[in-house]
Amino acid sequence: MGILSKLIRKITRPVRAKRNGVIGERKVINKLNPLFFEKVNHRQINNLIIVDEHNKSHQIDHIEIRQNGIFCIETKNYIGWIFGDDLVKKWTQVLYNGEKYQFVNPLKQNKSHCYHISKVLNNKYTINSIVVMVNNNADKIKCSNVINLNYLTEYLREFNNGVSLSNEEMDEIYNKLLEINSKMTNKEHIQNIIKTKNEIAQNICPRCGGRLVLRNGKNGVFYGCSNFPKCRFTKNITISN
Ligand SMILES: [Zn+2]
């Protein structure tokens, strides 16, 4: 029974999270496409899925291409107070009843998305990472690129790091990213994530298929890939709660 309910939870959790995610993404799309009197010259891709050389899929909520740069936007629809910074592995959500939950640091998640986008574009452009808190609860996070939804329009308008893309460049970037957009569905992407998690749980390296073996490092014991140094995948020893 325990195993069964655990399994069911494992399957339903990403789906539920995804549904909340879709509502959040819709709100961001509305902000990115303001009414006609504020119209901006931009190209936009929503829900891009990139499959990397390790057959791992990455789902990117929004890519906004404007004259002042390329923005990779990760949407978070959490309620309550959110605590975190750019360095910690997990962020903490504190609900109004005091319950606490942890989730993967979206800045780290988005950093990897930016890396993959940049690679597709032959590392020719800087990809600007933005995490948008849909419920406008970014205030406790002291990172300039973690912003409230209410601030997104202004943030994009004011952003300036000296880049000026022409219409032709914007088209080229847009077409190149659309070209690599995987035909994978969101469902398949989630299944892929579950598969990776299961492999890691069974001490199989998700990157190369090797075994994950216990190793002694300077920060303590951890799991490393048996194909080290060819494969540098590591897994922390987690105490489940
Ligand atoms: Zn490996």
Side-chain angles (χ1 to χ4, degrees):
M1 187 58 212
I3 293 168
L4 188 66
S5 62
K6 221 179 213 173
L7 191 71
I8 290 169
R9 226 182 306 140
K10 202 171 232 172
I11 293 166
T12 54
R13 195 197 290 132
V15 175
R16 207 183 314 127
K18 191 69 215 163
R19 200 178 307 128
N20 280 337
V22 169
I23 298 166
E25 283 162 27
R26 178 43 56 192
K27 288 182 180 167
V28 171
I29 292 170
N30 290 342
K31 282 277 176 196
L32 292 175
N33 296 282
L35 296 170
F36 64 93
F37 51 85
E38 307 175 78
K39 237 189 170 74
V40 283
N41 181 14
H42 70 154
R43 315 284 181 275
Q44 186 188 119
I45 303 171
N46 301 305
N47 196 23
L48 178 81
I49 295 182
I50 298 181
V51 178
D52 69 19
E53 68 271 31
H54 303 295
N55 233 1
K56 260 185 87 176
S57 53
H58 307 269
Q59 190 253 338
I60 296 152
D61 291 344
H62 315 278
I63 298 173
E64 174 78 2
I65 306 156
R66 295 196 178 195
Q67 279 171 321
N68 58 346
I70 306 167
F71 303 88
C72 173
I73 303 174
E74 176 71 21
T75 300
K76 288 296 168 206
N77 199 11
Y78 291 97
I79 54 162
W81 292 286
I82 309 296
F83 298 88
D85 58 39
D86 51 341
L87 297 172
V88 291
K89 253 192 158 163
K90 298 266 175 95
W91 283 11
T92 305
Q93 173 193 34
V94 181
L95 294 183
Y96 304 118
N97 64 9
E99 277 178 49
K100 284 183 188 178
Y101 298 94
Q102 289 203 308
F103 57 97
V104 175
N105 180 344
L107 281 172
K108 287 196 189 281
Q109 197 182 5
N110 212 34
K111 198 176 163 186
S112 124
H113 292 167
C114 291
Y115 167 83
H116 288 289
I117 297 167
S118 177
K119 215 166 145 187
V120 170
L121 302 171
N122 302 320
N123 299 318
K124 214 171 130 192
Y125 303 99
T126 301
I127 313 298
N128 305 293
S129 169
I130 308 176
V131 172
V132 174
M133 304 307 286
V134 175
N135 294 307
N136 296 302
N137 48 3
D139 302 343
K140 302 218 183 293
I141 297 153
K142 303 283 176 248
C143 301
S144 59
N145 58 342
V146 179
I147 59 172
N148 288 329
L149 177 66
N150 284 345
Y151 182 54
L152 179 61
T153 311
E154 197 186 330
Y155 183 93
L156 290 170
R157 197 176 48 222
E158 308 288 312
F159 188 92
N160 184 355
N161 66 355
V163 168
S164 180
L165 299 173
S166 66
N167 279 323
E168 290 71 29
E169 281 174 305
M170 288 197 281
D171 285 336
E172 197 193 314
I173 294 162
Y174 176 77
N175 290 328
K176 200 145 192 190
L177 289 172
L178 272 191
E179 228 171 76
I180 57 101
N181 190 11
S182 165
K183 296 284 169 286
M184 190 181 268
T185 61
N186 280 331
K187 205 172 156 189
E188 285 164 334
H189 167 66
I190 289 169
Q191 279 163 351
N192 207 346
I193 292 174
I194 294 173
K195 188 174 147 252
T196 304
K197 277 191 176 162
N198 286 343
E199 281 175 355
I200 295 170
Q202 291 162 33
N203 290 333
I204 297 168
C205 174
R207 221 167 271 172
C208 72
R211 298 287 310 168
L212 297 177
V213 291
L214 273 178
R215 294 196 190 281
N216 232 324
K218 52 176 185 251
N219 296 322
V221 182
F222 67 97
Y223 281 100
C225 181
S226 56
N227 289 327
F228 180 86
K230 241 168 90 187
C231 173
R232 294 179 169 270
F233 183 83
T234 61
K235 158 188 159 179
N236 286 329
I237 294 181
T238 47
I239 299 135
S240 51
N241 40 12

PDB file of all heavy atoms in Angstrom, residues 205 207-210 225 227 231 233, ligand 1:
ATOM      1  N   CYS A 205      23.330   5.935 -13.823  1.00  0.00           N
ATOM      2  CA  CYS A 205      23.677   7.287 -14.263  1.00  0.00           C
ATOM      3  C   CYS A 205      22.752   7.696 -15.412  1.00  0.00           C
ATOM      4  O   CYS A 205      22.689   7.016 -16.436  1.00  0.00           O
ATOM      5  CB  CYS A 205      25.128   7.342 -14.724  1.00  0.00           C
ATOM      6  SG  CYS A 205      25.556   8.944 -15.428  1.00  0.00           S
ATOM      7  N   ARG A 207      23.058  10.072 -17.374  1.00  0.00           N
ATOM      8  CA  ARG A 207      23.776  10.699 -18.480  1.00  0.00           C
ATOM      9  C   ARG A 207      24.400   9.659 -19.407  1.00  0.00           C
ATOM     10  O   ARG A 207      24.389   9.795 -20.605  1.00  0.00           O
ATOM     11  CB  ARG A 207      24.863  11.617 -17.908  1.00  0.00           C
ATOM     12  CG  ARG A 207      24.971  12.911 -18.667  1.00  0.00           C
ATOM     13  CD  ARG A 207      25.804  13.918 -17.942  1.00  0.00           C
ATOM     14  NE  ARG A 207      25.038  14.743 -17.017  1.00  0.00           N
ATOM     15  CZ  ARG A 207      25.604  15.586 -16.165  1.00  0.00           C
ATOM     16  NH1 ARG A 207      26.910  15.688 -16.093  1.00  0.00           N
ATOM     17  NH2 ARG A 207      24.852  16.313 -15.358  1.00  0.00           N
ATOM     18  N   CYS A 208      24.972   8.588 -18.804  1.00  0.00           N
ATOM     19  CA  CYS A 208      25.696   7.641 -19.668  1.00  0.00           C
ATOM     20  C   CYS A 208      25.278   6.194 -19.437  1.00  0.00           C
ATOM     21  O   CYS A 208      25.774   5.294 -20.113  1.00  0.00           O
ATOM     22  CB  CYS A 208      27.198   7.791 -19.462  1.00  0.00           C
ATOM     23  SG  CYS A 208      27.766   7.144 -17.887  1.00  0.00           S
ATOM     24  N   GLY A 209      24.391   5.956 -18.479  1.00  0.00           N
ATOM     25  CA  GLY A 209      23.939   4.594 -18.233  1.00  0.00           C
ATOM     26  C   GLY A 209      24.865   3.797 -17.327  1.00  0.00           C
ATOM     27  O   GLY A 209      24.605   2.625 -17.046  1.00  0.00           O
ATOM     28  N   GLY A 210      25.960   4.425 -16.861  1.00  0.00           N
ATOM     29  CA  GLY A 210      26.886   3.749 -15.947  1.00  0.00           C
ATOM     30  C   GLY A 210      26.257   3.532 -14.573  1.00  0.00           C
ATOM     31  O   GLY A 210      25.099   3.901 -14.350  1.00  0.00           O
ATOM     32  N   CYS A 225      29.538   8.737 -10.862  1.00  0.00           N
ATOM     33  CA  CYS A 225      29.386   7.776 -11.954  1.00  0.00           C
ATOM     34  C   CYS A 225      30.617   6.878 -12.036  1.00  0.00           C
ATOM     35  O   CYS A 225      31.748   7.322 -11.841  1.00  0.00           O
ATOM     36  CB  CYS A 225      29.196   8.537 -13.268  1.00  0.00           C
ATOM     37  SG  CYS A 225      28.961   7.452 -14.669  1.00  0.00           S
ATOM     38  N   ASN A 227      31.824   5.754 -14.569  1.00  0.00           N
ATOM     39  CA  ASN A 227      32.608   6.108 -15.755  1.00  0.00           C
ATOM     40  C   ASN A 227      33.398   7.408 -15.576  1.00  0.00           C
ATOM     41  O   ASN A 227      33.850   7.997 -16.559  1.00  0.00           O
ATOM     42  CB  ASN A 227      31.699   6.210 -16.981  1.00  0.00           C
ATOM     43  CG  ASN A 227      31.203   4.854 -17.410  1.00  0.00           C
ATOM     44  OD1 ASN A 227      31.908   3.852 -17.259  1.00  0.00           O
ATOM     45  ND2 ASN A 227      29.982   4.792 -17.913  1.00  0.00           N
ATOM     46  N   CYS A 231      32.577  10.660 -17.377  1.00  0.00           N
ATOM     47  CA  CYS A 231      31.274  11.214 -17.027  1.00  0.00           C
ATOM     48  C   CYS A 231      31.368  11.754 -15.606  1.00  0.00           C
ATOM     49  O   CYS A 231      31.844  11.072 -14.716  1.00  0.00           O
ATOM     50  CB  CYS A 231      30.209  10.131 -17.139  1.00  0.00           C
ATOM     51  SG  CYS A 231      28.614  10.678 -16.523  1.00  0.00           S
ATOM     52  N   PHE A 233      28.817  12.966 -13.730  1.00  0.00           N
ATOM     53  CA  PHE A 233      27.528  13.054 -13.039  1.00  0.00           C
ATOM     54  C   PHE A 233      27.682  12.666 -11.559  1.00  0.00           C
ATOM     55  O   PHE A 233      28.354  11.699 -11.226  1.00  0.00           O
ATOM     56  CB  PHE A 233      26.492  12.141 -13.702  1.00  0.00           C
ATOM     57  CG  PHE A 233      25.134  12.257 -13.059  1.00  0.00           C
ATOM     58  CD1 PHE A 233      24.270  13.275 -13.427  1.00  0.00           C
ATOM     59  CD2 PHE A 233      24.756  11.377 -12.053  1.00  0.00           C
ATOM     60  CE1 PHE A 233      23.036  13.405 -12.806  1.00  0.00           C
ATOM     61  CE2 PHE A 233      23.530  11.503 -11.427  1.00  0.00           C
ATOM     62  CZ  PHE A 233      22.665  12.519 -11.797  1.00  0.00           C
TER      63      PHE A 233
HETATM   64 ZN    ZN B   1      27.710   8.593 -16.096  1.00  0.00          ZN
END
